[in-house]
Amino acid sequence: MKTIIKKINNIQSDRDIIEEAGKILKKGGLVAFPTETVYGLGADALNEQAAEKIYAAKGRPSDNPLIVHIAGMEDLPRIAEIIPEEAKIVAEKFWPGPLTMIFDKTGIVPYETTGGLNTVAVRMPSSDIARELIRAGGGFIAAPSANTSGRPSPTMAQHVEEDLNGKIDMILDGGTVEIGVESTILDMTVTPPMLLRPGAVTKEMLEELIGPIAVDAASISADSSKPPKAPGMKYRHYAPKADLSIVEGPVELVIEAINGMAAERIAQGYKVGIIGTEESRDRYRQGIVKSIGTREDEATIASHLYAILREFDHEEVDYIYSESFARGGIGNAIMNRLLKAAGHHVINI
Ligand code: TXA
Ligand code: MG
């Protein structure tokens, strides 16, 4: 299959491209598109064959449910059976935006989309391109991250091309995404609501609005005995090819420890990558050093995380040592993804 790749700068002047992409979706095809979190791989969520194509293109296990993206609140009751009052309050504040909520599904949502579950995950993205495309494609677009299963999520169109060129109908290139980690997932079918995946909408922000929420233990710890409630969270995601270790402790000691380990590996003939920050990058003496962002603005760290993991794949490093980051706010999402990428390999200093 030849994948059409089109740049989109502006939803007004590029109207015809969005219409073309919408037609592909309505016919059951696959279109990758930017959202504010990561690029999504879209298909008509109400068409079971289209949903099945997503699993094939990504190499994704079919028990891993898809998020249905909508463009307006009026579309929610068509796919969600019960909409609790708290969900309306949360939607009012955080939709459109980087938040997914889980509801009991209605009959029109096929089990191919929900991975066999009776619940459906729903998100209304804030990206204009995404919302226009959802409308042009019929209003209900299933979209997992547009990467091959197991690779870091794509934050720019080139990442999508690397993984899916020749396997999907179209890629809309809207530049680099804003946030860089996937949406927060909140399960509204349980009381209290439960956070299944941390993201840019934090637990604190949700609790301020609706009071205490529960947290799926499997989303924060490696050794939880229970399987995660979001089926996708059980797979080893976001994995770079190199052996990635997170070094945790006071920053000064971490820098020294990473310098020591890097020197040792390099002396053994290995290629080493280091993930530091704007503050620490000049303190590393050897290896390929990349700054992930600044500790003064953690959003910069979230936005570069996946791109850096992909860059180290291209540079074919054998070992990656990463600094560890603060866990509050969006730091929870950063550490959740980094720990998964590292297979929970943490060196405590
Ligand atoms: O930011 C995002 O959410 C991006 C963009 C494209 O919108 N999408 C995304 O989709 O991250 P994906 O498929 O990579 O991750 C969806 C996660 C998986 O962990 C899946 O198991 C979980 O959502 N999920 C989907 N439906 C669910 C359900 N009914 N119950 C529990 N977890 C569900
Ligand atoms: Mg994903």
Side-chain angles (χ1 to χ4, degrees), residues 25 29-33 40-48 50-52 54-55 58 60 64-70 79 109-110 112-114 120-123 133-134 137 139-146:
L25 290 171
L30 301 184
V31 177
F33 61 98
L41 177 57
D44 180 353
L46 306 184
N47 171 343
E48 49 257 55
E52 275 174 353
I54 286 185
Y55 292 97
K58 281 181 60 88
R60 176 174 173 122
N64 188 359
L66 306 172
I67 296 173
V68 180
H69 293 63
I70 59 174
I79 53 173
V109 184
E112 283 76 5
T113 296
T114 65
V120 62
V122 187
R123 173 160 116 79
L133 177 69
I134 293 163
F140 302 93
I141 301 301
S145 49

Side-chain angles (χ1 to χ4, degrees), residues 37-40 60 64-67 69 102 117 119-121 123 143-145 182-183 185 196-197 229-233:
T37 57
V38 297
Y39 272 74
R60 176 174 173 122
N64 188 359
L66 306 172
I67 296 173
H69 293 63
I102 294 176
L117 299 174
T119 53
V120 62
R123 173 160 116 79
S145 49
E182 303 85 343
S183 62
I185 303 181
L196 307 188
R197 179 173 74 180
K229 300 212 164 45
M233 302 288 281

Side-chain angles (χ1 to χ4, degrees), residues 33 84 114 130 163 207 285 287 320:
F33 61 98
T114 65
D163 285 10
E207 288 191 324
R285 296 188 290 267
I320 304 171

Side-chain angles (χ1 to χ4, degrees), residues 285-307:
R285 296 188 290 267
Q286 293 183 70
I288 303 173
V289 182
K290 292 186 194 292
S291 165
I292 193 170
T294 166
R295 286 184 187 273
E296 283 178 10
D297 179 7
E298 292 220 288
T300 60
I301 295 176
S303 74
H304 296 124
L305 174 62
Y306 288 138

Side-chain angles (χ1 to χ4, degrees), residues 239-320:
K241 292 175 190 155
D243 182 314
L244 166 62
S245 310
I246 302 168
V247 187
E248 185 142 41
V251 179
E252 285 303 311
L253 298 181
V254 165
I255 294 169
E256 273 326 297
I258 291 179
N259 270 324
M261 288 183 286
E264 205 171 303
R265 289 300 183 196
I266 290 166
Q268 290 165 352
Y270 292 111
K271 204 166 168 185
V272 170
I274 295 174
I275 301 179
T277 62
E278 287 304 297
E279 291 77 20
S280 66
R281 64 183 310 161
D282 296 334
R283 309 272 311 277
Y284 292 105
R285 296 188 290 267
Q286 293 183 70
I288 303 173
V289 182
K290 292 186 194 292
S291 165
I292 193 170
T294 166
R295 286 184 187 273
E296 283 178 10
D297 179 7
E298 292 220 288
T300 60
I301 295 176
S303 74
H304 296 124
L305 174 62
Y306 288 138
I308 282 197
L309 295 178
R310 280 184 184 256
E311 285 172 24
F312 277 134
D313 278 354
H314 290 303
E315 289 168 83
E316 300 191 320
V317 298
D318 303 297
Y319 290 91
I320 304 171

